[in-house]
Structures are given as structure tokens and as C-alpha cells.
Amino acid sequence: AGQRFAMRKLLALVAEAKSGKISDAVDLEKSAILIEAFRATLNNEDLDPAFREVALTLPSESMIAEQMDVVDPQLIHAARQKLRKALAVSLRADWERAYAQNQTQGTYSPDAASAGKRALKNVALSYLAELDDTESHALIHRQCVEANNMTDRLSALSALANSSASAKLDALAAFYQDFEQEALVIDKWFMLQAMANTTDVDAMIKLMTHPAFTLKNPNRARSLLFSFCNGNPSRFHAADGSGYQFWARQVIALNAINPQVAARLARTLDRWRKYSPPLQKKMRAALQQVAATPKLSKDVLEIVTKALAA
């Protein structure tokens, strides 16, 4: 019920944004019922922490898009971020209390109770990160430095990557230095950067020059490219079409190296006709660019041809 309520509120905010009525901040009075529902859920200790974590997580931008006839990723992102900020500001003391109360003491344990507490603690941290102030930066950085398990450290690192904290570049570099010999962990390191709100095409191009990145490594290519193209809607669907141009270049490059990975990435634009007309035009151009490339693999050619004909 809580997720449906949140979805309705988010769709209403997107509609307001589309009509030009949404301000830089969510109207707290109009959002009071949702905010109080979140407060009640967060502070209800009779509920399992793992359940509360799920209930307090807003629907993703992709889930919101699924409910819309015409998708505008920028409006969806703006609406969702404004609501997250409103929840962060209104419930700051509650998030801080939940964060403190759900610390797991001693050595790491994978048991369900401990995992639930970590999940609730980290969702509280993610909302506090929306405040993007000195106090929240210090809290996130402390967890990043002191974490004794990968879940907590990655949660803090992701929060830092989405913030304006001055320490985030040092934290990302330290994480890489600590785990550069562990391929799966470094895949996650690339992934969280690709999905960060601050990562645009220029940042992606820079990430692809990192010594640990190569398109020839299918896991590494998926971790970075799929996370940006499928997991960072507002940046990938940039109004200038730069995300689609980037996508076309990577599909073409991968086609010559690993056609199977190229085909999977090509599916990113399968549903291009669901987007707003200005984005459709730029998506079609990117699809046509790929389709016109000589020596395309059968799978890639079939995917882009069907998308254009849909």
C-alpha cells in the first residue's frame, strides 16, 4: 500500500513538472500524509527492519516510467529527487535515530537479523545523503572508512558518489586501491560510478580510460555501460542526445569484439517510441547509425532493425 501511495505521489509530481507548476522544493503541506506514513513506518519497531527498508524505498525511475504513456526521464528524475529531499529534510531526526539504532556491533555476521538492520541503516544513510551538507558528508565518509563489510562500504561509497562531498574522489581511489585485485568488486566500483547522478557522457568517457577498463572484458563492459544506459535514466536520456550517440558508438565497438554483449546493449533502445518526441528523434538517429554500420552481427542487426520498424 505504501509503495502504491508513493507511486501516486510521484506520478502527480511528474504531472506538475510537465505543466510547469512544480517548484524547486516539494510542497510539504501537500506531501504531509506521505511523509507521516514514512515516519510511522520508519519508527515502528514492531516491523522487521528488512521490511521497513523495502517499504521506505521509493519506486525507481524505471518503475515510474512504466506507469506513463509518454516518458520524460528528466521530469521523472526531478520529481523523484524532490520527494527524496523532502523526506530527508522532514524526517532528518528520524533517519538519524534509525541509523544509530540499527548499527550491528562486533564482527560481520550474514544472519537475517543483522542483514535487515544493515539494510534499514543504509536506506536511512541514503536519505541523509540527500541533504548533501557537511554533517551528512562526514557521516557517510565515516561509514566508508570504518565499515567492516562490503555492504556498508559500498552503500557509503555510492552515497558519496552521488554527493558534492570533497572527499568522494579520495574515497573512490582508496576503494580501488584496496580491491584492485578482486575483479567482481571492481565491477561494482565501476557500476556505482556509472549510476551516480553526477555521471554524464563525459564522465563515462573518462571512466573508460581507466587502466582497469576494457571493452574486451564482457563483465567489465556490462558493469559500466549497462549501468549507465539502463540504470542512469536522467543522464543517459540527456536532452541533447549525447547519451544515444555514446550508446551507438559502444554498440558498434562491441559488435567487433563481442557481438553477444553488443546485442544486449542494443536492446536499450527497444522501446524508443514510448519517449517524448524530441527524444524519439534522437533515438531514431542513433538506431539508424548502428543499422547502417557495415558487418553488423546478425543479432545486433536484427535488434536495431526491429526497433526501427516497431
Side-chain angles (χ1 to χ4, degrees), residues 22-266:
I22 194 168
S23 64
D24 289 339
V26 168
D27 187 326
L28 296 182
E29 185 175 342
K30 290 183 179 179
S31 302
I33 295 175
L34 179 63
I35 290 170
E36 290 310 311
F38 265 60
R39 191 194 309 275
T41 300
L42 177 59
N43 295 328
N44 188 346
E45 295 186 12
D46 290 333
L47 296 175
D48 185 78
F51 173 84
R52 282 185 277 168
E53 182 268 336
V54 173
L56 296 167
T57 300
L58 291 178
S60 69
E61 292 174 30
S62 296
M63 291 174 65
I64 300 167
E66 288 293 330
Q67 302 299 312
M68 302 180 67
D69 294 327
V70 178
V71 178
D72 188 322
Q74 306 305 322
L75 296 184
I76 292 172
H77 177 74
R80 188 175 187 275
Q81 287 303 110
K82 284 178 172 60
L83 185 53
R84 278 182 57 82
K85 182 67 175 288
L87 289 164
V89 171
S90 300
L91 303 179
R92 179 169 194 156
D94 303 271
W95 295 122
E96 290 174 340
R97 182 166 55 253
Y99 181 83
Q101 290 177 343
N102 285 278
Q103 298 292 324
T104 49
Q105 304 301 321
T107 58
Y108 171 78
S109 173
D111 66 273
S114 297
K117 293 184 72 173
R118 279 191 296 271
L120 182 55
K121 174 188 68 179
N122 286 321
V123 82
L125 185 71
S126 75
Y127 276 103
L128 291 169
E130 293 294 336
L131 300 169
D132 207 18
D133 57 14
T134 303
E135 188 174 347
S136 65
H137 293 169
L139 182 67
I140 299 164
H141 188 254
R142 183 165 65 249
Q143 176 167 312
C144 198
V145 171
E146 298 177 356
N148 68 351
N149 63 85
M150 189 61 67
T151 299
D152 282 352
R153 190 162 180 188
L154 281 172
S155 294
L157 193 64
S158 179
L160 277 178
N162 280 286
S163 76
S164 64
S166 59
K168 70 178 177 181
L169 293 180
D170 288 341
L172 285 163
F175 186 94
Y176 178 80
Q177 187 174 19
D178 288 346
F179 299 103
E180 61 180 315
Q181 300 305 317
E182 299 185 35
L184 294 179
V185 178
I186 297 303
D187 286 344
K188 292 182 181 296
W189 181 79
F190 276 110
M191 186 184 302
L192 69 85
Q193 291 179 82
M195 296 176 70
N197 293 334
T198 54
T199 298
D200 56 13
V201 167
D202 288 340
M204 284 293 293
I205 292 171
K206 184 176 181 180
L207 276 169
M208 291 178 71
T209 66
H210 192 280
F213 182 80
T214 173
L215 285 176
K216 294 180 180 179
N217 181 328
N219 289 334
R220 193 62 41 89
R222 284 194 293 266
S223 295
L224 187 64
L225 300 179
F226 286 47
S227 296
F228 178 69
C229 296
N230 296 304
N232 198 344
S234 65
R235 290 296 190 168
F236 174 63
H237 294 284
D240 62 3
S242 57
Y244 311 139
Q245 295 164 20
F246 173 81
W247 167 88
R249 292 195 300 271
Q250 305 318 315
V251 171
I252 293 168
L254 280 166
N255 179 75
I257 300 169
N258 191 324
Q260 289 183 325
V261 177
R264 288 188 60 192
L265 185 62

Side-chain angles (χ1 to χ4, degrees), residues 279-299:
L279 294 182
Q280 284 188 30
K281 182 178 179 179
K282 294 178 173 65
M283 289 185 190
R284 184 191 299 112
L287 284 162
Q288 290 171 335
Q289 179 184 345
V290 175
T293 302
K295 298 181 180 179
L296 276 184
S297 70
K298 179 181 177 181
D299 287 346

